[in-house]
Amino acid sequence: MSATFDIAIIGGGLAGCSTALHARLKGASVILFERGRCGGQASGVNYGGVRQQGRHPAELSLSRRSRTIWGSLQQLIGTDCEFAATGHLKLARTDVDMEDLIAHQALLGEHGIHADILEARDLTRRFPYLSGRYAGGSYCGEDGQANPRLVAPAFAKAARALGVVIRENCKIAVAERAESGFVIRPADGSPAISVRRLINTAGAWGAEVAAMFGDLVKETVMAPNMCVTEPIPPLIGPNLGICGGSIYIRQAAHGSVIFGAGLGVADAQALRARPLAEVTLEAAAAAVEMVPHLRNVLLLRSWTGIEGRMPDGLPVLGASPTVEGLFHAFGFSGHGFQLGPAVGAVLAELSLDGDTRTSISGLAMDRFAPFAVPAP
Ligand SMILES: Cc1cc2nc3c(=O)[nH]c(=O)nc-3n(C[C@H](O)[C@H](O)[C@H](O)COP(=O)(O)OP(=O)(O)OC[C@H]3O[C@@H](n4cnc5c(N)ncnc54)[C@H](O)[C@@H]3O)c2cc1C
């Protein structure tokens, strides 16, 4: 046994890197294991949407807390990762959609999140580049976008600067309980590590790590289909979405328009994900339908990534139902980038203080199946 740490983290996506930083800020000794490079999977290849609007009620406290952290990235990790509060505009096709947006506005308000309901004529006046086919929309001014390639590595760099040990290119093959915590065994045969608490932020492989301890949940994979265009002069202000969630579009500060719709394919075991040509064509048509000016803009590239999906579309976040000292956060089901910074803060509190001030009650693992609670 070569070393002992307060906390080990398996998985260096945004959730894991943020946990490492927040746990270290609370004084813990921390080691993080990442099979590839930090941010190399979903956290580094996503669309870059940072929105509270449109989330399930169970995620809103977490999302709210994350928004606070997004706004203070510069102070926390020394860079803003191109986060910009460009706003998020969710469009309604029908009056029924509008009723949903109005109901959601009230829910957001309960969490201190402000959104403006816009009528069709407001859209025409404020966002003239949109096609005129919408009944209205909901605009949340403090939502926005960021560059996903930058965020997890920046958290990792800040954590490392404070003394977190980050071992990249180091897959954990076995993690098991020990007398006073856990033993972690890297697949490369390097010495086992002894830790007091273990945090599983292994993304699409989270259920695999959980299963090492008998925490059995069904996690599948999904691969949102992404496209990027050549840079064009500033056109689209807010990050755009639509009720029903099909097409979403944003323009990055350097001019490229990024949009997504539909799913590609992913193989979590082979670590491979591919967009699909027919889905890309449909996405491009949907993007042009929303913003007709895109008709003459060149598409440069399409891509996707490997994301974990839970049966109800909500992540698992919280203590293991069966193993003391073990905590899980995985299966973000296509919307964990915005949540990532707060996931780390919450996991640091849960694992070091035994509680968190953020409501995560709807995200516990035991919502899926009954688990035997070990005797005290
Ligand atoms: C194409 C795409 C678009 C998306 N768009 C958005 C968006 O606009 N907004 C939004 O909020 N969310 C979005 N998401 C979702 C978001 O990217 C994810 O929910 C989030 O990044 C998950 O972070 P994570 O840290 O849990 O997982 P990951 O980033 O996948 O990190 C998990 C890490 O664990 C490592 N790992 C796994 N097993 C082991 C092991 N045994 N040993 C060591 N390391 C291991 C993996 O290598 C991986 O790096 C999108 C996802 C995709 C794929």
PDB file of all heavy atoms in Angstrom, residues 10 51 56 88 92 107 168 201 211 218 263 286 294 312 348 352 365:
ATOM      1  N   ILE A  10     -13.147   8.322  -8.842  1.00  0.00           N
ATOM      2  CA  ILE A  10     -12.983   7.564 -10.085  1.00  0.00           C
ATOM      3  C   ILE A  10     -13.747   8.295 -11.181  1.00  0.00           C
ATOM      4  O   ILE A  10     -14.975   8.349 -11.174  1.00  0.00           O
ATOM      5  CB  ILE A  10     -13.499   6.111  -9.954  1.00  0.00           C
ATOM      6  CG1 ILE A  10     -12.770   5.390  -8.820  1.00  0.00           C
ATOM      7  CG2 ILE A  10     -13.322   5.362 -11.279  1.00  0.00           C
ATOM      8  CD1 ILE A  10     -13.232   3.947  -8.601  1.00  0.00           C
ATOM      9  N   ARG A  51     -27.799  25.881 -19.063  1.00  0.00           N
ATOM     10  CA  ARG A  51     -29.163  26.389 -18.825  1.00  0.00           C
ATOM     11  C   ARG A  51     -29.796  25.755 -17.593  1.00  0.00           C
ATOM     12  O   ARG A  51     -29.593  24.580 -17.304  1.00  0.00           O
ATOM     13  CB  ARG A  51     -30.058  26.143 -20.046  1.00  0.00           C
ATOM     14  CG  ARG A  51     -30.229  24.696 -20.356  1.00  0.00           C
ATOM     15  CD  ARG A  51     -31.307  24.338 -21.332  1.00  0.00           C
ATOM     16  NE  ARG A  51     -31.208  22.914 -21.551  1.00  0.00           N
ATOM     17  CZ  ARG A  51     -31.726  21.995 -20.751  1.00  0.00           C
ATOM     18  NH1 ARG A  51     -32.436  22.348 -19.698  1.00  0.00           N
ATOM     19  NH2 ARG A  51     -31.550  20.706 -20.985  1.00  0.00           N
ATOM     20  N   HIS A  56     -36.011  19.382 -14.945  1.00  0.00           N
ATOM     21  CA  HIS A  56     -36.944  18.682 -14.065  1.00  0.00           C
ATOM     22  C   HIS A  56     -36.850  19.322 -12.664  1.00  0.00           C
ATOM     23  O   HIS A  56     -35.755  19.713 -12.244  1.00  0.00           O
ATOM     24  CB  HIS A  56     -36.531  17.203 -14.012  1.00  0.00           C
ATOM     25  CG  HIS A  56     -37.494  16.331 -13.290  1.00  0.00           C
ATOM     26  ND1 HIS A  56     -37.536  16.247 -11.909  1.00  0.00           N
ATOM     27  CD2 HIS A  56     -38.458  15.495 -13.750  1.00  0.00           C
ATOM     28  CE1 HIS A  56     -38.474  15.393 -11.555  1.00  0.00           C
ATOM     29  NE2 HIS A  56     -39.055  14.924 -12.649  1.00  0.00           N
ATOM     30  N   HIS A  88     -30.957  32.072 -22.484  1.00  0.00           N
ATOM     31  CA  HIS A  88     -31.470  30.856 -23.132  1.00  0.00           C
ATOM     32  C   HIS A  88     -32.917  31.134 -23.498  1.00  0.00           C
ATOM     33  O   HIS A  88     -33.721  31.531 -22.643  1.00  0.00           O
ATOM     34  CB  HIS A  88     -31.382  29.654 -22.191  1.00  0.00           C
ATOM     35  CG  HIS A  88     -31.974  28.400 -22.767  1.00  0.00           C
ATOM     36  ND1 HIS A  88     -33.173  27.875 -22.360  1.00  0.00           N
ATOM     37  CD2 HIS A  88     -31.529  27.586 -23.759  1.00  0.00           C
ATOM     38  CE1 HIS A  88     -33.442  26.774 -23.056  1.00  0.00           C
ATOM     39  NE2 HIS A  88     -32.450  26.578 -23.915  1.00  0.00           N
ATOM     40  N   ALA A  92     -41.839  28.145 -28.234  1.00  0.00           N
ATOM     41  CA  ALA A  92     -43.074  27.350 -28.191  1.00  0.00           C
ATOM     42  C   ALA A  92     -43.676  27.313 -29.584  1.00  0.00           C
ATOM     43  O   ALA A  92     -43.815  28.343 -30.232  1.00  0.00           O
ATOM     44  CB  ALA A  92     -44.060  27.995 -27.218  1.00  0.00           C
ATOM     45  N   LEU A 107     -42.416  27.648 -11.618  1.00  0.00           N
ATOM     46  CA  LEU A 107     -41.524  26.699 -10.930  1.00  0.00           C
ATOM     47  C   LEU A 107     -40.110  27.283 -10.799  1.00  0.00           C
ATOM     48  O   LEU A 107     -39.486  27.215  -9.729  1.00  0.00           O
ATOM     49  CB  LEU A 107     -41.492  25.396 -11.735  1.00  0.00           C
ATOM     50  CG  LEU A 107     -40.613  24.283 -11.202  1.00  0.00           C
ATOM     51  CD1 LEU A 107     -41.176  23.729  -9.897  1.00  0.00           C
ATOM     52  CD2 LEU A 107     -40.504  23.158 -12.231  1.00  0.00           C
ATOM     53  N   GLU A 168      -3.906  10.679 -14.608  1.00  0.00           N
ATOM     54  CA  GLU A 168      -4.555  10.468 -15.897  1.00  0.00           C
ATOM     55  C   GLU A 168      -4.008   9.197 -16.530  1.00  0.00           C
ATOM     56  O   GLU A 168      -2.985   8.657 -16.097  1.00  0.00           O
ATOM     57  CB  GLU A 168      -4.331  11.682 -16.798  1.00  0.00           C
ATOM     58  CG  GLU A 168      -5.019  12.937 -16.248  1.00  0.00           C
ATOM     59  CD  GLU A 168      -4.918  14.134 -17.170  1.00  0.00           C
ATOM     60  OE1 GLU A 168      -3.783  14.492 -17.534  1.00  0.00           O
ATOM     61  OE2 GLU A 168      -5.953  14.712 -17.524  1.00  0.00           O
ATOM     62  N   THR A 201     -17.592   9.075 -10.050  1.00  0.00           N
ATOM     63  CA  THR A 201     -18.075  10.027 -11.060  1.00  0.00           C
ATOM     64  C   THR A 201     -17.633   9.510 -12.433  1.00  0.00           C
ATOM     65  O   THR A 201     -17.008  10.231 -13.207  1.00  0.00           O
ATOM     66  CB  THR A 201     -17.512  11.440 -10.811  1.00  0.00           C
ATOM     67  OG1 THR A 201     -16.081  11.348 -10.639  1.00  0.00           O
ATOM     68  CG2 THR A 201     -18.143  12.098  -9.593  1.00  0.00           C
ATOM     69  N   ALA A 211     -21.463  -1.198  -9.545  1.00  0.00           N
ATOM     70  CA  ALA A 211     -21.695  -2.647  -9.452  1.00  0.00           C
ATOM     71  C   ALA A 211     -20.556  -3.356  -8.720  1.00  0.00           C
ATOM     72  O   ALA A 211     -20.745  -4.452  -8.177  1.00  0.00           O
ATOM     73  CB  ALA A 211     -21.885  -3.238 -10.843  1.00  0.00           C
ATOM     74  N   LYS A 218     -29.587   0.260 -13.745  1.00  0.00           N
ATOM     75  CA  LYS A 218     -29.485   0.100 -15.193  1.00  0.00           C
ATOM     76  C   LYS A 218     -29.104   1.439 -15.804  1.00  0.00           C
ATOM     77  O   LYS A 218     -29.851   2.409 -15.700  1.00  0.00           O
ATOM     78  CB  LYS A 218     -30.855  -0.345 -15.723  1.00  0.00           C
ATOM     79  CG  LYS A 218     -30.848  -0.849 -17.137  1.00  0.00           C
ATOM     80  CD  LYS A 218     -32.216  -1.504 -17.398  1.00  0.00           C
ATOM     81  CE  LYS A 218     -32.551  -1.670 -18.859  1.00  0.00           C
ATOM     82  NZ  LYS A 218     -31.554  -2.135 -19.747  1.00  0.00           N
ATOM     83  N   LEU A 263     -29.880  11.699 -32.188  1.00  0.00           N
ATOM     84  CA  LEU A 263     -28.831  10.904 -31.555  1.00  0.00           C
ATOM     85  C   LEU A 263     -27.960  10.193 -32.581  1.00  0.00           C
ATOM     86  O   LEU A 263     -28.463   9.737 -33.613  1.00  0.00           O
ATOM     87  CB  LEU A 263     -29.461   9.850 -30.642  1.00  0.00           C
ATOM     88  CG  LEU A 263     -30.277  10.376 -29.465  1.00  0.00           C
ATOM     89  CD1 LEU A 263     -30.992   9.223 -28.756  1.00  0.00           C
ATOM     90  CD2 LEU A 263     -29.385  11.129 -28.482  1.00  0.00           C
ATOM     91  N   ALA A 286     -33.622  21.188 -39.553  1.00  0.00           N
ATOM     92  CA  ALA A 286     -34.324  21.781 -38.408  1.00  0.00           C
ATOM     93  C   ALA A 286     -33.677  23.107 -38.003  1.00  0.00           C
ATOM     94  O   ALA A 286     -34.363  24.060 -37.609  1.00  0.00           O
ATOM     95  CB  ALA A 286     -34.315  20.804 -37.232  1.00  0.00           C
ATOM     96  N   LEU A 294     -29.248  30.403 -41.806  1.00  0.00           N
ATOM     97  CA  LEU A 294     -28.222  29.343 -41.800  1.00  0.00           C
ATOM     98  C   LEU A 294     -28.214  28.533 -43.091  1.00  0.00           C
ATOM     99  O   LEU A 294     -27.292  27.739 -43.326  1.00  0.00           O
ATOM    100  CB  LEU A 294     -28.434  28.403 -40.600  1.00  0.00           C
ATOM    101  CG  LEU A 294     -28.242  29.042 -39.215  1.00  0.00           C
ATOM    102  CD1 LEU A 294     -28.526  28.017 -38.113  1.00  0.00           C
ATOM    103  CD2 LEU A 294     -26.817  29.590 -39.056  1.00  0.00           C
ATOM    104  N   ASP A 312     -35.103   7.063 -16.030  1.00  0.00           N
ATOM    105  CA  ASP A 312     -36.042   8.185 -15.914  1.00  0.00           C
ATOM    106  C   ASP A 312     -35.440   9.507 -16.392  1.00  0.00           C
ATOM    107  O   ASP A 312     -36.043  10.573 -16.207  1.00  0.00           O
ATOM    108  CB  ASP A 312     -36.540   8.319 -14.468  1.00  0.00           C
ATOM    109  CG  ASP A 312     -35.397   8.565 -13.481  1.00  0.00           C
ATOM    110  OD1 ASP A 312     -34.224   8.652 -13.910  1.00  0.00           O
ATOM    111  OD2 ASP A 312     -35.676   8.685 -12.275  1.00  0.00           O
ATOM    112  N   ALA A 348     -18.571  16.966  -2.269  1.00  0.00           N
ATOM    113  CA  ALA A 348     -17.582  17.301  -1.236  1.00  0.00           C
ATOM    114  C   ALA A 348     -18.281  17.450   0.109  1.00  0.00           C
ATOM    115  O   ALA A 348     -17.801  16.950   1.138  1.00  0.00           O
ATOM    116  CB  ALA A 348     -16.846  18.590  -1.616  1.00  0.00           C
ATOM    117  N   LEU A 352     -17.669  14.772   3.165  1.00  0.00           N
ATOM    118  CA  LEU A 352     -16.841  15.289   4.265  1.00  0.00           C
ATOM    119  C   LEU A 352     -17.671  15.786   5.447  1.00  0.00           C
ATOM    120  O   LEU A 352     -17.235  15.690   6.590  1.00  0.00           O
ATOM    121  CB  LEU A 352     -15.942  16.420   3.746  1.00  0.00           C
ATOM    122  CG  LEU A 352     -14.895  15.945   2.733  1.00  0.00           C
ATOM    123  CD1 LEU A 352     -14.256  17.122   2.014  1.00  0.00           C
ATOM    124  CD2 LEU A 352     -13.831  15.092   3.421  1.00  0.00           C
ATOM    125  N   MET A 365     -30.053   7.039  -5.588  1.00  0.00           N
ATOM    126  CA  MET A 365     -29.991   5.796  -6.357  1.00  0.00           C
ATOM    127  C   MET A 365     -31.141   4.851  -6.017  1.00  0.00           C
ATOM    128  O   MET A 365     -31.653   4.140  -6.885  1.00  0.00           O
ATOM    129  CB  MET A 365     -28.652   5.103  -6.095  1.00  0.00           C
ATOM    130  CG  MET A 365     -28.490   3.820  -6.861  1.00  0.00           C
ATOM    131  SD  MET A 365     -26.970   2.966  -6.447  1.00  0.00           S
ATOM    132  CE  MET A 365     -25.848   3.638  -7.627  1.00  0.00           C
TER     133      MET A 365
END
